[in-house]
Amino acid sequence: MERIGLIAGNGQLPFLFARAARARGLEVVAVAHKGETDPALASEVASLTWVRVGQVDSIQKAFRAAGVRQAAMAGGIGRVRAIKDARPDLGTVRVISRLRSFRDDALLRAVAADFEERGITIIAPTDFLGEVLCPEGHLAGPRLTPEQEKDVAVGREVAVLLGQADVGQTVVVHKGLVLALEAVEGTDEAIRRGGKLGGAGAVVVKRCKPQQDLRFDLPAAGPRTLEVMREVHAKVLALEVGKTVLLDAPALFRGAEAAGITLVGVR
């Protein structure tokens, strides 16, 4: 049976990828990150090897031993954990020594290039997961009001600038004011901060960075995102069409309807 590698981070995306790859008749060889990846992934894959964040050589060694020639990165790595708990090995040192910038895209591209030099091609997880990408239009909850449409437009404009700087993917807006920009703290904390500053009714916008490499770090939203929005009474979640992964879309849509949160896909 043909094998495919999975470099697994946190969240549900590694599970979605593993199931989709198995449905295509592939054997999934996974490498998971301690403190990030859900151990339940073991039941979805043929083999699971655990590494610490930052251990590039260990991942490559596991794939070479299994005869893996293609692999996908699926799921995030918390940025704070990546800073505090990383245990770099010689492979990571090799990658870092080539970098001029330590921003997300530059680092991930350098990691992918290092894998490819050693015979392992990094592919986009969405090659297997096209059906979970955000569709266009009104998806759940109340229709956008004219004021909310303006806030979505502001959020999209600011998100482009945020992405060009390779900082984050999420912007929180209310009544034309930008309340929060995602940085190292991640999406959930950006939503909390924005919601607390602006009060009920905040609009959350997520979109790809303009220079986004679709092989890694795609924006994602799921039921957990709605839970955080409910905490601060945010009312709109606007996602980029075709480039945002919907985690457990049926539960996401049901949750948005139940909470009165507008969910919309925007080009």
Side-chain angles (χ1 to χ4, degrees):
M1 180 182 292
E2 185 180 352
R3 293 176 174 174
I4 191 163
L6 168 58
I7 304 169
N10 56 35
Q12 290 300 304
L13 192 56
F15 290 82
L16 296 176
F17 178 85
R19 292 163 189 162
R22 282 170 33 220
R24 295 193 186 190
L26 299 175
E27 186 176 275
V28 181
V29 176
V31 177
H33 289 84
K34 295 178 181 178
E36 291 285 346
T37 309
D38 186 340
L41 182 65
S43 65
E44 302 281 355
V45 299
S47 67
L48 185 66
T49 301
W50 288 94
V51 300
R52 300 295 293 269
V53 173
Q55 295 184 328
V56 171
D57 267 347
S58 298
I59 298 173
Q60 293 174 352
K61 181 179 178 180
F63 285 162
R64 285 197 300 268
V68 168
R69 293 291 175 263
Q70 284 192 325
M73 300 179 184
I77 299 293
R79 294 178 184 177
V80 173
R81 185 183 298 278
I83 294 169
K84 291 183 175 180
D85 297 339
R87 297 293 185 271
D89 60 15
L90 289 177
T92 306
V93 173
R94 182 175 64 241
V95 170
I96 290 175
S97 68
R98 302 175 180 179
L99 288 175
R100 295 182 179 179
S101 167
F102 288 92
R103 292 176 177 175
D104 290 351
D105 280 9
L107 177 59
L108 290 169
R109 285 194 180 100
V111 169
D114 190 78
F115 271 76
E116 288 169 4
E117 288 175 6
R118 283 154 183 77
I120 303 167
T121 301
I122 300 298
I123 64 170
T126 51
D127 290 350
F128 289 73
L129 295 170
E131 69 278 5
V132 302
L133 296 178
C134 182
E136 186 171 6
H138 176 263
L139 304 175
R143 294 280 175 176
L144 288 173
T145 66
E147 184 178 77
Q148 289 170 337
E149 289 179 351
K150 291 177 182 178
D151 282 349
V152 169
V154 170
R156 291 175 63 218
E157 181 180 355
V158 174
V160 170
L161 301 176
L162 186 68
Q164 286 173 343
D166 197 9
V167 173
Q169 301 169 327
T170 305
V171 177
V172 184
V173 184
H174 193 198
K175 296 182 178 179
L177 297 176
V178 177
L179 302 173
L181 306 176
E182 178 192 359
V184 71
E185 81 282 22
T187 299
D188 291 353
E189 292 306 315
I191 293 172
R192 287 191 178 100
R193 187 172 71 253
K196 289 174 182 177
L197 287 171
V203 170
V204 179
V205 178
K206 284 184 72 80
R207 68 176 298 171
C208 266
K209 302 166 187 175
Q211 72 279 13
Q212 187 88 39
D213 188 323
L214 298 182
R215 293 177 297 173
F216 28 70
D217 200 27
L218 284 178
R224 172 63 182 166
T225 312
L226 291 183
E227 289 177 17
V228 177
M229 292 180 66
R230 282 197 294 264
E231 287 179 22
V232 295
H233 306 290
K235 287 300 181 183
V236 176
L237 178 59
L239 306 172
E240 184 171 4
V241 170
K243 293 183 180 179
T244 305
V245 176
L246 301 184
L247 304 172
D248 195 353
L252 177 64
F253 296 158
R254 289 194 303 270
E257 290 286 354
I261 292 174
T262 300
L263 180 61
V264 61
V266 183
R267 289 201 177 274

